[in-house]
Amino acid sequence: MTDSNSSNWIRVADGLTDWDTTWDEQRFIGAVFDALFLKKNLALTTRLLIGIDETWFNDPQHRHLFLAVFEAATLAYDPENRVTATGVLDAAEKASGATGWARDVFSQCSERAGVFEPVKYLQEEAPLWWEKLKRKKLQTRLSRADQLLGLPPNLNTMQDVRDYLSAAIEIVDQEPTCSSPSSNPMMDSYRKFLEPLPADALIPTGMTGMDHILGGGLSGPGAPAGGKLIIITARPGMGKTQVAINLAMRTALQGYKTVMWSMEMQPEQIHARLFCALDFMECHKAGRTIGGKMTYGMVSSGKLSDFPQIKARYVANEPQTQALADTFTVIPGTHTAKGITNTMRLFARDNPDTRLFVIDHLGLLDTGSNPNKAQTIGEATRLIKTTANELGIDVLLLSQLNRSLEQRQEKMPTLADLRDSGRIEEDADVVCGLLRPHYYDPEADPNELRVGILKNRQGRQGDFNVCIDNDACAIYEAFDSPL
């Protein structure tokens, strides 16, 4: 059943009702040909092509015509290139590997174009076309998930179901990127740069040196370009997890949701470290401690009751702990990069105030049966980076260093020391290397922690010092005095 006056064609095949995009494809191709060759309007042609790509076309011949028009519009900006309709049709046939079809198909497209209104098309018709194309992809993923649900349940099957459902949700949420003919992205950016950043653009980390490197802090809800991938790397025992926990804790205490994937520790171990670091921070604010320092060993071994004053302080701090519990989530176990990024999307969708993800650590990701670990790790960092960018939420990704550092006299990490893949440094926006001089020199300050900025896509490199208290699982500024 068809209606030539509407783009909402339907077809019935194999018992399924679906939209047919043939009419939309023909009308669009006819319109861009008209704009480019009859009206000689290159600006209009370019606006129509923005945001539409070959994946929108179900008909392969339409796809080849679109790509040929796209290339012609690009070449037309150069006055030395002579672009003709005949040349476009010949290019489409050459790309398809078949001849004799382009002129007939083009004739059909021209008939469909009719009176073409660009503004209405980009605002109303292109989004509808996009929704039609989603339907087929949704059917495929939901059908596959339904098939898996008919199998005996096991962890791998249920993870696959979850992946298919997550992919289906992604499809539903995708929006066409067509630009309105009246929009001008460059001028929009020009005007935006004249305005001060919104108050919620940045989230201070509580570490002056780190905030300076990040241009003021982590990406807040009002950040113009959020979604940084921040790598924290060091040899074992240097304090990677401790730094990450303290940064995440400070973010969570500002009311922003944070999620930490811990593949080395159980949630209770992370919680014990959080409680100690929180107590340390609160004591610093008060300028004193009563009854001594709360330590990880004290909390994890259940010995708080042996220290009445510390226990009383612990109990009195419950409101702050509850606030932390409401915003800080720990996810244990081994995960794939795909599983983590799917959860990132789902969590961010359910919690719009999410501002930080922490993954501890890259080397423990489940890489499956692929023997090429460097390739899998590279694919994982790329997936995590693109997801962070898509969501506009920063990710702290912890990574080990290879052993070559141990053979050098200078122990501060370099980018070349990153283990498993060069893609880590390519995808990262910021790479922080950690060094505790006391680890190699017993005469050095046991509380000193050097943070080297090995890469900073948006700013300077260099290093700064903070202090680390292993017993209290705390990171504090070098100019503060230890408790």
Side-chain angles (χ1 to χ4, degrees):
M1 180 176 67
T2 62
D3 178 1
S4 60
N5 297 317
S6 168
S7 62
N8 297 338
W9 284 18
I10 60 172
R11 67 183 177 197
V12 178
D14 301 326
L16 294 174
T17 301
D18 201 357
W19 273 313
D20 184 0
T21 62
T22 302
W23 191 90
D24 306 271
E25 295 174 15
Q26 291 175 340
R27 187 160 182 259
F28 174 81
I29 292 169
V32 291
F33 261 94
D34 181 46
L36 183 59
F37 296 111
L38 298 182
K39 294 181 180 177
K40 308 294 184 184
N41 191 334
L42 186 56
L44 174 59
T45 307
T46 304
R47 291 191 202 104
L48 291 172
L49 292 171
I50 288 175
I52 293 179
D53 61 58
E54 69 272 18
T55 62
W56 285 43
F57 296 87
N58 283 326
D59 188 304
Q61 292 178 336
H62 293 162
R63 193 178 307 134
H64 288 302
L65 279 173
F66 165 78
L67 289 171
V69 173
F70 189 93
E71 183 178 0
T74 304
L75 294 173
Y77 276 99
D78 185 347
E80 295 184 2
N81 285 316
R82 186 169 178 269
V83 177
T84 66
T86 301
V88 170
L89 297 177
D90 290 342
E93 289 190 350
K94 183 178 180 180
S96 72
T99 58
W101 61 266
R103 281 154 185 79
D104 290 339
V105 174
F106 167 63
S107 177
Q108 297 169 5
C109 293
S110 296
E111 291 174 6
R112 294 289 185 198
V115 179
F116 191 82
E117 301 176 58
V119 174
K120 181 181 179 183
Y121 175 81
L122 291 174
Q123 291 179 348
E124 300 177 14
E125 298 181 35
L128 178 61
W129 181 8
W130 179 247
E131 292 300 325
K132 293 177 185 181
L133 292 168
K134 285 184 184 180
R135 182 181 177 94
K136 191 173 183 180
K137 296 178 182 178
L138 274 172
Q139 287 175 336
T140 300
R141 284 156 180 78
L142 293 176
S143 173
R144 183 60 181 144
D146 189 53
Q147 292 173 4
L148 290 172
L149 287 170
L151 300 175
N154 59 58
L155 289 178
N156 290 335
T157 300
M158 297 312 295
Q159 180 61 53
D160 288 342
V161 169
R162 183 178 182 179
D163 289 347
Y164 279 114
L165 294 178
S166 297
I169 292 172
E170 289 175 35
I171 291 168
V172 171
D173 287 346
Q174 286 175 350
E175 296 294 339
T177 54
C178 296
S179 301
S180 166
S182 61
S183 70
N184 188 322
M186 182 179 289
M187 290 309 296
D188 291 345
S189 296
Y190 173 79
R191 296 185 184 97
K192 184 184 292 184
F193 294 151
L194 293 173
E195 301 171 1
L197 285 176
D200 62 350
L202 298 167
I203 304 170
T205 64
M207 294 168 61
T208 307
M210 183 66 76
D211 288 343
H212 184 63
I213 293 298
L214 297 176
L218 298 169
S219 302
K228 294 188 290 292
L229 176 60
I230 304 167
I231 304 287
I232 298 179
T233 186
R235 291 290 292 152
M238 293 295 165
K240 296 186 300 296
T241 302
Q242 207 152 302
V243 169
I245 286 175
N246 277 260
L247 290 174
M249 176 188 72
R250 289 173 168 90
T251 303
L253 287 173
Q254 294 175 71
Y256 298 109
K257 291 284 177 66
T258 64
V259 182
M260 180 173 184
W261 282 266
S262 177
M263 288 169 267
E264 277 193 312
M265 304 179 196
Q266 290 300 311
E268 292 80 6
Q269 295 173 295
I270 300 294
H271 296 158
R273 285 167 168 78
L274 277 171
F275 298 152
C276 291
L278 177 61
D279 179 73
F280 188 98
M281 187 178 73
E282 291 300 305
C283 288
H284 260 294
K285 284 182 183 177
R288 70 182 192 280
T289 181
I290 299 173
K293 181 169 59 178
M294 184 188 299
T295 68
Y296 173 76
M298 190 184 298
V299 176
S300 61
S301 62
K303 293 183 178 178
L304 273 179
S305 298
D306 297 342
F307 303 88
Q309 290 178 308
I310 298 178
K311 178 183 176 182
R313 197 169 73 223
Y314 182 89
V315 173
N317 202 34
E318 185 172 334
Q320 193 79 315
T321 304
Q322 183 61 58
L324 188 59
D326 291 340
T327 52
F328 197 116
T329 301
V330 180
I331 302 177
T334 304
H335 303 268
T336 63
K338 182 66 174 175
I340 288 177
T341 52
N342 283 341
T343 306
M344 286 165 62
R345 291 188 180 93
L346 293 170
F347 194 92
R349 186 175 294 112
D350 293 338
N351 302 274
D353 52 349
T354 304
R355 294 315 315 159
L356 182 64
F357 294 119
V358 180
I359 302 172
D360 184 14
H361 59 77
L362 182 61
L364 292 178
L365 284 177
D366 182 359
T367 55
S369 57
N370 190 339
N372 189 337
K373 189 168 185 181
Q375 179 187 4
T376 351
I377 291 294
E379 290 170 353
T381 57
R382 176 55 52 89
L383 184 59
I384 292 166
K385 166 59 184 173
T386 54
T387 306
N389 193 55
E390 170 196 329
L391 299 174
I393 299 173
D394 291 351
V395 176
L396 286 181
L397 177 60
L398 279 54
S399 174
Q400 297 278 25
L401 295 174
N402 59 47
R403 292 189 179 89
S404 62
L405 176 147
E406 303 293 345
Q407 312 304 318
R408 297 198 310 260
Q409 185 173 357
E410 172 53 57
K411 303 300 184 183
M412 192 66 192
T414 68
L415 289 176
D417 296 321
L418 284 166
R419 180 185 284 181
D420 293 323
S421 176
R423 283 282 296 275
I424 301 173
E425 62 179 280
E426 289 178 32
D427 295 328
D429 294 285
V430 178
V431 180
C432 301
L434 307 182
L435 171 65
R436 294 182 62 195
H438 182 72
Y439 189 89
Y440 298 102
D441 179 7
E443 302 299 319
D445 182 353
N447 296 113
E448 181 186 359
L449 176 65
R450 288 176 58 195
V451 182
I453 307 305
L454 313 181
K455 176 185 176 180
N456 187 4
R457 201 187 296 276
Q458 303 297 336
R460 68 176 183 84
Q461 293 173 251
D463 57 73
F464 61 92
N465 280 14
V466 291
C467 287
I468 184 168
D469 188 311
N470 264 352
D471 293 335
C473 305
I475 304 292
Y476 57 98
E477 296 284 8
F479 48 76
D480 290 338
S481 58
L483 295 171

